[in-house]
Amino acid sequence: MGDFRGQVVVTDRGILAINAILLHIYKMNQMKHITLYFTMLLVAAGQLLWAQSPADYPANYANGPRFKALVFYTRHAEEAHVDFALQAVEFFKKLNYGNGFTLDVTTHLSDYPYEKLKEYDVVVMLDGYPSSQAEREAFEQYMENGGGWMGFHVAAYNDKHTHWPWFVDFLGGGVFYCNNWPPQPVLVEVDNPDHPITRNLPASFVVPASEWYQWMPSPRQNKDVEVLLSISEKNYPLGIKDVVNSGDFPVVWTHTKYRMIYLNMGHGDEEFTDATQNLLFINAFRWVLSTNKQGDPFRK
């Protein structure tokens, strides 16, 4: 646990408990009892530490894991996508320092039918998506019943060969259209500075190199989609080998009928080198969780 600062309210019950323990220790001369009573002292001290604090106390300490998160990735993907996924797994593990939540990592979505999937407050997909019919049905049921999803880059890839209409609708209606090559940094612009995901980000900033997917039609055309971040037109022409010259280019958005966020980032081993983009990822993760109809886990 980090530094504990602030005024703690000491209850009468806590003071009496410590006084009683100290009196017992004083009276006991047998060393075999010292360990027992010292343990009791620590328990009583802990009770004081977690005693009710003033209403305006700024911190909220968890007594156990706040939520459950499932992170999925596959090694059967493009090398650069796997590189990102492996770094992303470590990123989420660092977010779980101190066991603030239950984190499970899997490379097999087939192990998670709906009855098991629904135990999780959020599912994070790093470099893949449900492929079998059973996996797709489980994911659809999970999302239609209030599940949370955070998807990166290729986790949203779909084209004429995908044959999954529900998924296209879920993403806002866009199908993969084109991309730049090779991966490169871009200037992005915040579309909604008041959203919880973007309100502490600069109005525009440069993000690390990635391969950027453009979609057709643009998700922005869907009235149920809220675009949060887009590639600035100042980047055009974008690319060296494969060049994108124009077009609407959202890279972070949510379909408001679902508890979900999609981020186009996720190619290569440079994605976690920038503090602003890391903050974007954390904000997105927290937001999906905080909008759970079962309650905001960060307020518990």
Side-chain angles (χ1 to χ4, degrees):
M1 184 178 69
D3 292 342
F4 185 89
R5 297 182 176 90
Q7 180 183 0
V8 177
V9 175
V10 180
T11 63
D12 291 340
R13 185 178 62 181
I15 293 175
L16 290 175
I18 287 185
N19 286 341
I21 292 169
L22 291 174
L23 180 61
H24 273 290
I25 292 175
Y26 177 77
K27 291 182 177 180
M28 298 302 298
N29 296 319
Q30 300 174 358
M31 289 301 297
K32 65 180 181 180
H33 293 286
I34 296 298
T35 299
L36 172 63
Y37 286 113
F38 184 70
T39 301
M40 294 171 64
L41 177 62
L42 290 178
V43 171
Q47 181 185 26
L48 289 181
L49 184 65
W50 296 107
Q52 183 179 1
S53 300
D56 60 349
Y57 185 69
N60 173 10
Y61 291 89
N63 293 318
R66 294 182 183 272
F67 56 87
K68 292 185 67 175
L70 178 67
V71 172
F72 163 72
Y73 76 99
T74 176
R75 291 183 178 273
H76 303 292
E78 184 178 335
E79 182 179 0
H81 295 165
V82 176
D83 288 342
F84 164 76
L86 295 177
Q87 289 188 352
V89 168
E90 295 306 311
F91 177 79
F92 283 101
K93 286 182 178 179
K94 287 181 180 179
L95 292 185
N96 197 30
Y97 281 180
N99 298 315
F101 60 97
T102 299
L103 175 64
D104 292 329
V105 179
T106 185
T107 56
H108 299 286
L109 277 180
S110 58
D111 293 340
Y112 291 85
Y114 171 68
E115 291 302 318
K116 191 172 181 181
L117 204 59
K118 70 178 184 180
E119 298 175 3
Y120 293 91
D121 300 285
V122 64
V123 176
V124 181
M125 295 187 182
L126 301 176
D127 66 347
Y129 44 82
S131 55
S132 72
Q133 186 63 29
E135 291 172 1
R136 291 179 175 186
E137 290 177 356
F139 181 67
E140 287 183 29
Q141 189 175 1
Y142 171 73
M143 292 307 303
E144 293 290 351
N145 285 278
W149 182 77
M150 181 179 187
F152 289 91
H153 197 52
V154 76
Y157 185 86
N158 69 89
D159 57 25
K160 62 182 180 180
H161 303 294
T162 307
H163 303 301
W164 192 8
W166 179 91
F167 193 53
V168 176
D169 292 340
F170 169 73
L171 293 169
V175 177
F176 172 78
Y177 189 48
C178 62
N179 63 280
N180 68 293
W181 194 261
Q184 71 173 68
V186 294
L187 176 69
V188 296
E189 298 174 342
V190 171
D191 289 274
N192 180 359
D194 298 320
H195 194 279
I197 292 178
T198 55
R199 65 188 176 196
N200 61 353
L201 300 179
S204 63
F205 54 99
V206 175
V207 293
S210 191
E211 173 194 27
W212 303 99
Y213 295 163
Q214 195 178 79
W215 311 85
M216 181 60 67
S218 169
R220 198 188 309 271
Q221 297 182 24
N222 188 325
K223 63 180 178 59
D224 294 318
V225 166
E226 182 173 10
V227 175
L228 302 180
L229 210 66
S230 300
I231 290 179
S232 171
E233 292 183 353
K234 297 175 183 178
N235 293 285
Y236 294 135
L238 173 61
I240 301 297
K241 174 183 177 291
D242 301 328
V243 181
V244 181
N245 292 298
S246 63
D248 187 26
F249 218 134
V251 290
V252 178
W253 69 81
T254 178
H255 190 305
T256 58
K257 289 186 176 181
Y258 299 96
R259 192 162 59 89
M260 62 85 80
I261 191 72
Y262 171 67
L263 306 102
N264 205 312
M265 303 79 172
H267 186 101
D269 59 1
E270 299 180 25
E271 297 287 22
F272 297 97
T273 60
D274 180 76
T276 302
Q277 181 159 281
N278 289 348
L279 180 59
L280 166 67
F281 294 165
I282 294 171
N283 289 351
F285 183 61
R286 284 182 57 98
W287 177 76
V288 171
L289 288 157
S290 68
T291 53
N292 193 335
K293 291 182 179 179
Q294 303 300 320
D296 183 348
F298 303 108
R299 294 185 179 276
K300 295 179 180 179

